[in-house]
């Protein structure tokens, strides 16, 4: 907890999508967004589609939140119509919900009535995009009502309505979780609406899996959309992201050696910077002053490493459930040799370790953000989070040692189990036991 008497809110927030007090290192992305604002807000709009991908924790959702909160400001700076930014998730791509989220209104109900003389028939039609009603009133005061419900995903129609309401940047976060058919339908409709100059620009944001999902959904021109990645921060950006929130709130900045240590432990990873910053603020800010001693520093670092290890353990379990630990272990060892690998090189090296479907394993680990291609124009894989691979290596080795010990005990009890000894993935004995 913050010290007694402190009235300042903690400016660091590792919670998903929450904006930190100081937003560092995204000038390039902000300038790109201003260009989108300018194009979609023109008298003759030029809408487009962008795909943004990066591993979890790189700050995609936070970036979208920042852009949303500054859309009107950027529109004024670019001297165009006011542009709104809306952030949705795939679960909200129901057409009624989509329209209500963007306009603040329910879809309008259109009613038409026709009468036919002698039959005395009144026919009314109610249209709500997702369905319609037909009501008939016959002579003799008899009535019959029939309702037809159609789950029609006509994104083009609702996007046109949105464009009439206001120029819009539509951001769909976690897009990699979309059903492939829904993604294909959406992309096809976006192609139509951008061609018709409907003032709605769309940003699909997700993990590295998104790039493959877009490519494989078989939408027309799916491979021609502009693709961006979101890098980690530079060392100097990381230093500012740690120190500036203190001075901005009129609290003394942490000493240089403290910032150096935090940057080393965070690996320029935005999520970790916010996690460590929050722990430091909680434990070392008292009565609007920074107080760092051995006890307080130890508490802050312990809290940070607890949160960091929890995230790593979540990733470890995720990789384990997909039976990818052996491949993840060998890939981690390969990245000790060099920082960039071609997929063909990784396939060859993993195959040499006895991995039968190495190409598929690499793809799945890339989808999970264990490794990725941070440069869309190059074919090199890099580590997504540097120290996650160290965590994988350490824990796989510990698990294997424990497994080997269990097998020795079972053998002593006359169980017919091979002795794995101190084997590691790739050893013949490990493969036999596995």
């Amino acid at each position: 907890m913050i010290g007694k008497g402190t009235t300042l809110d903690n400016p660091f927030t590792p919670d998903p999508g929450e904006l930190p007090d100081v937003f560092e290192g995204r000038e390039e992305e902000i300038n790109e967004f201003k260009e989108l604002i300018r194009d979609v807000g023109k008298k003759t709009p030029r809408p487009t589609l962008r795909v943004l991908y990066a591993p979890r924790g790189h700050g995609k959702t936070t970036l979208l939140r920042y852009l949303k909160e500054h859309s009107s400001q950027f529109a004024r700076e670019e001297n165009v119509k006011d542009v709104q930014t809306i952030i949705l998730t795939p679960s909200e791509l129901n057409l009624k919900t989509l329209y209500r989220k963007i306009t603040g209104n329910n879809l309008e109900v259109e009613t038409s009535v026709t009468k036919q003389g002698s039959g005395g028939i009144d026919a009314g039609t109610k249209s709500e995009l997702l369905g319609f009603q037909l009501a008939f009133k016959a002579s003799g005061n008899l009535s019959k009502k029939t309702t037809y419900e159609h789950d029609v995903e006509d994104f083009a129609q609702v996007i046109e309505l949105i464009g009439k309401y206001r120029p819009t940047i539509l951001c769909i976060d976690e897009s990699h979780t979309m059903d492939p058919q829904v993604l294909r339908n959406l992309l096809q409709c976006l192609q139509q609406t951008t061609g018709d100059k409907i003032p709605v620009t769309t940003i699909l944001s997700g993990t590295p899996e998104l790039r493959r999902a877009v490519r494989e959904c078989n939408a027309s021109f799916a491979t021609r959309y502009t693709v961006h990645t979101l890098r980690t921060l530079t060392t100097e950006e990381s230093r500012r992201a740690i120190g500036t929130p203190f001075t901005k709130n009129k609290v003394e900045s942490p000493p240089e050696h403290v910032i150096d240590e935090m940057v080393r432990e965070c690996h320029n990873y935005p999520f970790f910077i916010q996690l460590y910053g929050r722990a430091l603020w909680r434990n070392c800010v008292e009565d609007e002053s920074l107080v760092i001693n051995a006890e307080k520093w130890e508490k802050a670092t312990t809290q940070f490493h607890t949160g960091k290890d929890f995230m790593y353990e979540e990733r470890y379990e995720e990789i384990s459930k997909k039976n990818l630990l052996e491949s993840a272990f060998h890939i981690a060892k390969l990245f000790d040799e060099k920082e960039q690998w071609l997929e063909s090189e990784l396939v060859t090296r993993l195959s040499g370790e006895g991995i039968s479907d190495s190409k598929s394993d690499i793809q799945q680990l890339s989808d999970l953000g264990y490794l990725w291609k941070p440069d869309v124009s190059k074919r090199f894989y890099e580590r997504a989070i540097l120290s996650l691979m160290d965590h994988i290596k350490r824990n796989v080795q510990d698990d294997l040692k424990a497994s080997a010990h269990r097998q020795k005990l079972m053998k002593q009890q006359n169980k017919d189990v091979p002795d794995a000894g101190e084997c590691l993935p790739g050893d013949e004995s490990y493969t036999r036991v596995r």
Side-chain angles (χ1 to χ4, degrees), residues 6 47 98 112 131 194 237 264 283 312 339 390:
T6 296
L98 178 60
S112 62
T194 54
E237 289 166 349
R264 266 195 306 273
N283 291 279
Y312 280 169
E339 295 298 322
D390 293 334

Side-chain angles (χ1 to χ4, degrees), residues 397-408 410 420-421 433:
Q397 289 172 326
D398 290 345
D399 287 349
L400 287 173
K401 288 177 181 178
S403 176
H405 180 66
R406 287 196 302 271
Q407 290 173 43
K408 285 182 179 179
M410 292 174 69
V433 172

Side-chain angles (χ1 to χ4, degrees), residues 73-116:
Q73 172 192 330
F74 294 155
R76 289 192 300 271
E77 292 175 2
E78 299 298 326
N79 196 29
V80 296
K81 298 177 184 177
D82 187 22
V83 176
Q84 66 172 351
T85 295
I86 299 295
I87 303 174
L88 300 173
T89 60
S91 64
E92 296 170 306
L93 285 180
N94 167 286
L95 297 186
K96 289 181 179 178
T97 302
L98 178 60
Y99 185 79
R100 185 172 63 250
K101 282 268 186 179
I102 292 174
T103 67
N105 302 311
N106 291 322
L107 281 167
E108 295 180 3
V109 176
E110 299 178 1
T111 304
S112 62
V113 178
T114 59
K115 293 184 179 181
Q116 295 183 7

Side-chain angles (χ1 to χ4, degrees), residues 213-236:
V214 169
R215 186 172 59 248
E216 293 180 355
C217 75
N218 296 321
S220 302
F221 307 109
T223 59
R224 299 188 190 179
Y225 300 127
T226 303
V227 178
H228 296 278
T229 60
L230 198 60
R231 59 177 173 78
T232 55
L233 303 181
T234 66
T235 297
E236 187 53 40

Side-chain angles (χ1 to χ4, degrees), residues 10-151:
N10 195 325
F12 295 93
T13 172
D15 299 321
E18 289 294 321
L19 274 178
D21 205 42
V22 173
F23 193 69
E24 275 288 344
R26 300 304 183 205
E27 291 80 8
E28 181 180 343
E29 288 77 14
I30 291 171
N31 288 333
E32 288 274 354
F33 185 76
K34 287 182 178 180
E35 182 179 334
L36 298 182
I37 291 274
R38 183 170 63 249
D39 286 345
V40 81
K42 289 178 177 178
K43 187 174 181 180
T44 302
R46 295 196 323 183
T48 187
L49 169 68
R50 299 294 173 92
V51 174
L52 173 68
Y53 77 94
R56 285 168 289 189
H58 276 229
K60 299 181 297 296
T61 303
T62 302
L63 173 63
L64 296 181
R65 181 74 60 185
Y66 180 88
L67 300 177
K68 178 181 184 296
E69 294 193 3
H70 291 80
S71 290
S72 294
Q73 172 192 330
F74 294 155
R76 289 192 300 271
E77 292 175 2
E78 299 298 326
N79 196 29
V80 296
K81 298 177 184 177
D82 187 22
V83 176
Q84 66 172 351
T85 295
I86 299 295
I87 303 174
L88 300 173
T89 60
S91 64
E92 296 170 306
L93 285 180
N94 167 286
L95 297 186
K96 289 181 179 178
T97 302
L98 178 60
Y99 185 79
R100 185 172 63 250
K101 282 268 186 179
I102 292 174
T103 67
N105 302 311
N106 291 322
L107 281 167
E108 295 180 3
V109 176
E110 299 178 1
T111 304
S112 62
V113 178
T114 59
K115 293 184 179 181
Q116 295 183 7
S118 59
I121 298 176
D122 295 336
T125 303
K126 177 182 178 183
S127 174
E128 297 186 10
L129 288 184
L130 287 180
F132 58 89
Q133 289 184 347
L134 295 179
F136 301 95
K137 184 177 179 181
S139 58
N141 294 321
L142 298 176
S143 64
K144 180 179 180 181
K145 181 176 180 180
T146 306
T147 301
Y148 300 87
E149 292 293 339
H150 296 279
D151 290 326

